[in-house]
Amino acid sequence: MSKLALFGGEPLFKKERPLEDRWPETLPEDLEAINRVIESGQFLGINHPEIEAAEKEISEYFDVDYVLLMGSGTASLHAAVAAAGCVPGDEVIVPALTFLASASAVLHHVCIPVFADIDPVTYNLDPKSVETKITNRTRAIMAVDLHGLPANYEALRKIAEKYNLVLIEDAAHAMGATYQGKKAGALGDVAGTSLMPVKQLATCGEGGIFFTNNVDFYNRASMVRSFGEVIQKDKPRAYNAFTLGWNYRINPIMAAFLRTQLKRLDHYTNLFISNGTYLSKGLSELPGVIPPYVPEGSTHVYHMYRIKFDPKAAGYDVHPGRFAKAVEEAMGAEGLPLRLYQNAPIPGQAMFRTKEGFGNGVPWSLPGTNPIKYDFEEYTNTLEVLETTRCIGKNGSAGPWYFRNRETMDLYLNGFRKVWENLDEVVDYAEKMEYSPPWSILAPSTRGVWVEVTPTKKG
Ligand SMILES: Cc1ncc(COP(=O)(O)O)c(C=O)c1O
């Protein structure tokens, strides 16, 4: 039995690679794609041949009729909220565990995010909780394919049909994943995804994709993308805005780079799935280590690999939050980082607690809106998951470069085996350590509090 690095032993892993591998992978064909745009001298983000070609290829790959490349994932989700016909004061149901942007896309359209709890096993939106949140102002449900596992669309679609709601898919974590044979991005009535450089399908900067099979949704989103205007190829610009639009256009360099990445998405996805499955198989041999659950009919692409720790199953009567924190520290000391992904249910963030939004309480103060109270402690499944789980990786970094390499899987497996061989000591440490739950990091109500910034101008 070797001594844990946390207690003065030799760390298992001291190098940078493969944990610090780069992503997205750049091959000569990606550089050629970038050069193609630069050499063409055309940089406009609309009706550009690279953007049109990329949209066509994406539409074919995902089997979705209409596709728009956008400037970011948040922009694509905002366009999805607009396309869904949401108007100011409408409510959109969003999971309490996601990245903030799922909810801020709703706010960007002056609509109100209403949070539902997650399923404690899949970590995705719990359909039962969704149903309890429906009101006379609910217009849409935003399902997030969290961590790379598609949400429960069968149950969510039934609810959407029953209450005449639009089903929006946030597929930002799940490019390459499938649900009952269909690809993530094609699972909602309308969907958005992110292409920023930590995502499964990434470009060399910021970008997003809007997807739909509904021509009306497409037309609306297309106006949202470009100043509210209808841009028709080969026709003079009418300079006539039909609705409020933004500049949500993508840079053609991002589109060209994306085209070569898309060609390799299947290759990467196969690696992520086979390495993630391998890791899960190894980890399930350790008592009290619960790898991500993959329901039948779905594939998980492990954008985030969230592990649940159950001390009881490991034979210890210790607080589960303390246990998870001690395991995180022991693994970190071995050079194999684990991290929290989100510290609190999204409604615990200061903006919701203070209803800061646009200022003056908007959108929550708009006439005709339902009173909403954001009480993050209501989301008991989310709280329990945050306290008892950790994701593989360092702060700010996510899955793709970890799950590309089998070597990384073996490093983590060996790390967990070493920690599990020393569990008596780890539990002893857990019982004595200072402890507060992850959400205690949230500052109390912070309306009007700004952090100090350094001026851009020097001197
Ligand atoms: C679940 C989720 N939704 C939306 C977004 C927003 O994407 P972007 O950063 O490209 O605006 C992100 C990511 O960053 C995300 O993780």
Side-chain angles (χ1 to χ4, degrees), residues 260-308:
T260 47
Q261 294 288 322
L262 182 65
K263 289 202 178 85
R264 305 203 296 272
L265 179 60
D266 282 346
H267 161 74
Y268 295 129
T269 302
N270 289 337
L271 278 178
F272 302 146
I273 293 177
S274 89
N275 286 334
T277 311
Y278 172 82
L279 181 61
S280 296
K281 188 166 175 289
L283 288 182
S284 22
E285 285 162 17
L286 299 173
V289 182
I290 304 162
Y293 175 71
V294 187
E296 208 169 312
S298 296
T299 58
H300 195 317
V301 292
Y302 306 107
H303 176 62
M304 306 265 177
Y305 189 98
R306 190 181 282 279
I307 307 167
K308 185 171 172 122

Side-chain angles (χ1 to χ4, degrees), residues 405-454:
N405 297 309
R406 184 59 65 97
E407 198 186 340
T408 307
M409 307 294 102
D410 282 323
L411 282 169
Y412 271 88
L413 274 175
N414 289 338
F416 277 109
R417 285 178 187 136
K418 185 173 172 189
V419 173
W420 252 244
E421 278 168 16
N422 290 278
L423 264 194
D424 284 352
E425 271 183 294
V426 173
V427 168
D428 189 48
Y429 177 82
E431 274 164 345
K432 292 181 184 140
M433 78 198 315
E434 261 188 43
Y435 179 75
S436 51
W439 51 90
S440 59
I441 196 173
L442 293 175
S445 178
T446 51
R447 182 187 278 265
V449 174
W450 305 94
V451 288
E452 217 172 285
V453 290
T454 316

Side-chain angles (χ1 to χ4, degrees), residues 1 26 28 93-94 96 104 108 130 154 176 179 244 246 274 291 304 331 361 363 386 403 417 423 443 451 458:
M1 198 163 90
T26 39
I93 298 174
V94 179
S104 38
H108 287 321
V130 168
E154 205 172 296
Y179 178 83
L244 182 59
W246 285 257
S274 89
M304 306 265 177
M331 287 291 285
L386 289 170
F403 283 82
R417 285 178 187 136
L423 264 194
V451 288
K458 287 207 184 91

Side-chain angles (χ1 to χ4, degrees), residues 226-246:
S226 201
F227 302 112
E229 294 177 65
V230 175
I231 309 284
Q232 285 171 297
K233 209 179 167 191
D234 306 326
K235 287 212 175 144
R237 189 169 175 180
Y239 293 105
N240 187 16
F242 290 87
T243 183
L244 182 59
W246 285 257

